[in-house]
Amino acid sequence: MISANLLAVFYLISGVLFILALRGLSSPETSRQGNLYGIIGMGIAIGVTILSVGNFSTGFFLLLLFLLIGGSIGAFIAFKIPMTAMPELVAGFHSLVGLAAVFVAISAFLNPEVFNLGSQGNINIASLIEMSLGSAIGAITFTGSIIAFLKLRGIMSGSPITFFGQHYLNLFLGLALIGLIFYLCKTQHGNLFWTLIVISFVIGILLIIPIGGADMPVVISMLNSYSGWAAAGIGFTLENTALIITGALVGSSGAILSYIMCKGMNRSFFNVILGGWGATEDASKKGSKEQKPVKGGNADDAAFLMKNASSVIIVPGYGMAVAQAQHALKEMVDALKKNGVKVSYAIHPVAGRMPGHMNVLLAEANVPYDEVFELEEINNDFANCDVAYVIGANDVTNPVAKSDPQSPIYGMPILDVEKSKSVLFVKRSLSPGYAGIDNDLFYRDNTLMLFADAKKMTEDIIKSLN
């Protein structure tokens, strides 16, 4: 059995590696290295935790068995899941983290002696507060992540789901949670603990259902933060340094990312995390307005415009992810470069359905990092651009975000593709984006709609270029 001091040292090493992992993941150039640091850190944390169990007892082999089962399921899902379903996968994994926190809290409450927390009915107050907070946040994370998964998967409507008095109900349940924790610490009655968990499950549902599709990337990072705080709370209960460090890192980084994304989308951080934004607007009704005439084109038209352009800006979106068109896009860009055309990529902070979705897809196609620019870096270049090639990005290019105060996405910074001399918009149809609203860019005089599968259209353009 590994000593307590040596265990603390290894946990500290794994914590440092997790910090280095977060730093590496902050940039596409160092993301692979960051992933490697995270893998090594987690390997150390799991390894020393197993060694701390003690002799080769039944508990030790059960631990290895469950680790093998869980690891095999995770590896199978990771290998099989397509990149388009990555947001749903992340939401699903967050739900499991939350549920794990709930189970550990239940185990600690029912068997406090095993965890050195006292005895039944006489649990240390500090430990009781920690497990109460851990189980509450974990339960909220679990049901909230399930709702996010259903919305992202299309099983549940992406439009905000609201009802009269929703915010007051949330406030009442939140205050009820605080009251339950107080009385639980005072009486240590089991029914209060189970009621706390049930109410937390309900709050998780109520917090996420009123959040519309346009804010779903923020929800993903927010739930990531919740899962981290749940893990940290349980880490204090178990007196596990690795859980505390990891949970705090995940919780704080997720919260910071959520704040940055809200700021970038001109959203109120507190409104979004409390399920407030979107509650007064039915986005689905906004997409039902009468359609205007559009100009349609084909691959030959697109190839002609881009081949005779001096500069082209590619704007990838979720449509590119669905069609798995990133490799064809890279081939098209290489063909344009051979003709002396300057090409760059413009990435909106919330393009796709999770932070960094487009960056990962472009990196998969070996797109050079120095050709990929964020919104703030490239938005001014659209005014001097000959052609903007929009491949499946809808809401993040919609000009109504700047002109219509009644729009659900009003105030959200968008890519100014409408300022380009010509806009080539690849889309299957004129259907609205995930926010459920019509895109005014479709009907602009300088826009040519290319109605087709993103990969098929891009491949046809390559043939015309060659």
Side-chain angles (χ1 to χ4, degrees):
M1 181 177 179
I2 191 169
S3 68
N5 290 336
L6 195 57
L7 183 68
V9 170
F10 278 119
Y11 279 158
L12 180 61
I13 293 172
S14 66
V16 171
L17 288 169
F18 291 146
I19 294 173
L20 292 174
L22 284 175
R23 183 181 179 184
L25 291 171
S26 64
S27 170
E29 291 94 334
T30 58
S31 59
R32 292 181 184 274
Q33 187 180 53
N35 267 319
L36 181 61
Y37 284 139
I39 292 170
I40 295 173
M42 186 55 69
I44 292 174
I46 293 174
V48 297
T49 300
I50 292 174
L51 292 175
S52 69
V53 171
N55 299 323
F56 288 84
S57 61
T58 304
F60 183 87
F61 286 111
L62 282 175
L63 177 62
L64 288 180
L65 175 63
F66 289 129
L67 185 65
L68 179 63
I69 293 173
S72 299
I73 293 173
F76 177 78
I77 293 174
F79 277 115
K80 289 292 184 180
I81 201 78
M83 278 304 303
T84 51
M86 196 58 64
E88 297 101 288
L89 177 67
V90 172
F93 281 170
H94 287 164
S95 72
L96 295 179
V97 174
L99 190 60
V102 174
F103 283 157
V104 172
I106 291 173
S107 179
F109 184 78
L110 296 178
N111 302 281
E113 298 89 353
V114 176
F115 298 91
N116 298 317
L117 304 177
S119 59
Q120 269 284 6
N122 191 31
I123 301 174
N124 299 331
I125 298 300
S127 299
L128 199 57
I129 293 173
E130 291 159 4
M131 72 174 69
S132 297
L133 291 175
S135 60
I137 298 172
I140 292 170
T141 303
F142 173 69
T143 50
S145 299
I146 293 298
I147 297 299
F149 174 87
L150 295 176
K151 281 176 172 276
L152 289 166
R153 197 69 177 173
I155 299 173
M156 177 182 287
S157 171
S159 300
I161 300 173
T162 61
F163 54 86
F164 178 75
Q166 190 168 32
H167 296 302
Y168 293 107
L169 177 59
N170 289 344
L171 177 61
F172 171 77
L173 291 176
L175 293 174
L177 268 187
I178 297 174
L180 282 169
I181 293 175
F182 174 78
Y183 281 106
L184 178 62
C185 293
K186 192 174 182 179
T187 65
Q188 301 205 13
H189 199 286
N191 289 338
L192 293 175
F193 182 72
W194 293 111
T195 304
L196 181 147
I197 292 177
V198 171
I199 290 179
S200 299
F201 280 138
V202 174
I203 290 176
I205 296 173
L206 293 176
L207 282 179
I208 306 302
I209 59 172
I211 300 179
D215 278 341
M216 201 49 64
V218 182
V219 172
I220 295 297
S221 62
M222 178 188 72
L223 291 170
N224 180 53
S225 178
Y226 287 175
S227 67
W229 296 125
I234 295 303
F236 280 106
T237 301
L238 302 179
E239 296 183 352
N240 187 296
T241 309
L243 263 180
I244 296 171
I245 294 174
T246 307
L249 286 173
V250 173
S252 56
S253 61
I256 292 170
L257 178 59
S258 299
Y259 175 77
I260 292 172
M261 293 178 69
C262 284
K263 188 176 180 181
M265 296 168 66
N266 195 32
R267 298 283 177 246
S268 166
F269 176 71
F270 290 104
N271 277 351
V272 173
I273 66 171
L274 295 176
W277 184 79
T280 60
E281 185 72 34
D282 187 353
S284 61
K285 294 179 182 177
K286 297 289 287 183
S288 59
K289 71 177 187 179
E290 183 180 353
Q291 290 184 354
K292 308 169 191 174
V294 298
K295 291 190 293 184
N298 54 38
D300 292 333
D301 300 325
F304 177 81
L305 284 172
M306 286 194 284
K307 194 172 185 177
N308 290 282
S310 60
S311 64
V312 173
I313 297 179
I314 310 292
V315 181
Y318 188 67
M320 182 191 77
V322 172
Q324 289 290 287
Q326 61 269 28
H327 296 284
L329 185 65
K330 173 65 164 55
E331 188 178 348
M332 184 191 80
V333 168
D334 290 341
L336 289 172
K337 288 179 181 177
K338 290 179 181 178
N339 286 291
V341 181
K342 178 187 175 183
V343 184
S344 51
Y345 299 81
I347 307 295
H348 192 280
V350 294
R353 294 189 181 176
M354 64 178 290
H357 199 178
M358 295 300 105
N359 301 78
V360 172
L361 289 174
L362 294 178
E364 184 185 357
N366 295 317
V367 172
Y369 296 129
D370 58 1
E371 294 179 6
V372 181
F373 299 92
E374 300 295 329
L375 180 145
E376 301 84 4
E377 301 171 309
I378 200 171
N379 225 16
N380 292 331
D381 295 346
F382 282 105
N384 301 315
C385 170
D386 292 314
V387 177
Y389 186 71
V390 184
I391 179 167
N394 199 331
D395 298 323
V396 298
T397 63
N398 196 337
V400 301
K402 298 182 290 184
S403 60
D404 184 5
Q406 302 303 315
S407 172
I409 64 171
Y410 180 70
M412 182 178 82
I414 63 162
L415 292 165
D416 295 329
V417 294
E418 79 277 5
K419 295 181 179 179
S420 303
K421 293 178 182 177
S422 298
V423 178
L424 300 174
F425 208 119
V426 183
K427 205 171 185 297
R428 288 178 178 271
S429 67
L430 292 174
S431 60
Y434 198 61
I437 57 175
D438 204 24
N439 192 341
D440 191 55
L441 183 62
F442 298 161
Y443 316 109
R444 298 291 178 101
D445 292 335
N446 62 333
T447 299
L448 190 68
M449 297 298 298
L450 305 174
F451 295 111
D453 173 81
K455 184 177 181 181
K456 178 67 167 56
M457 175 56 69
T458 304
E459 289 173 343
D460 289 343
I461 292 174
I462 294 170
K463 293 176 183 177
S464 297
L465 287 173
N466 293 332

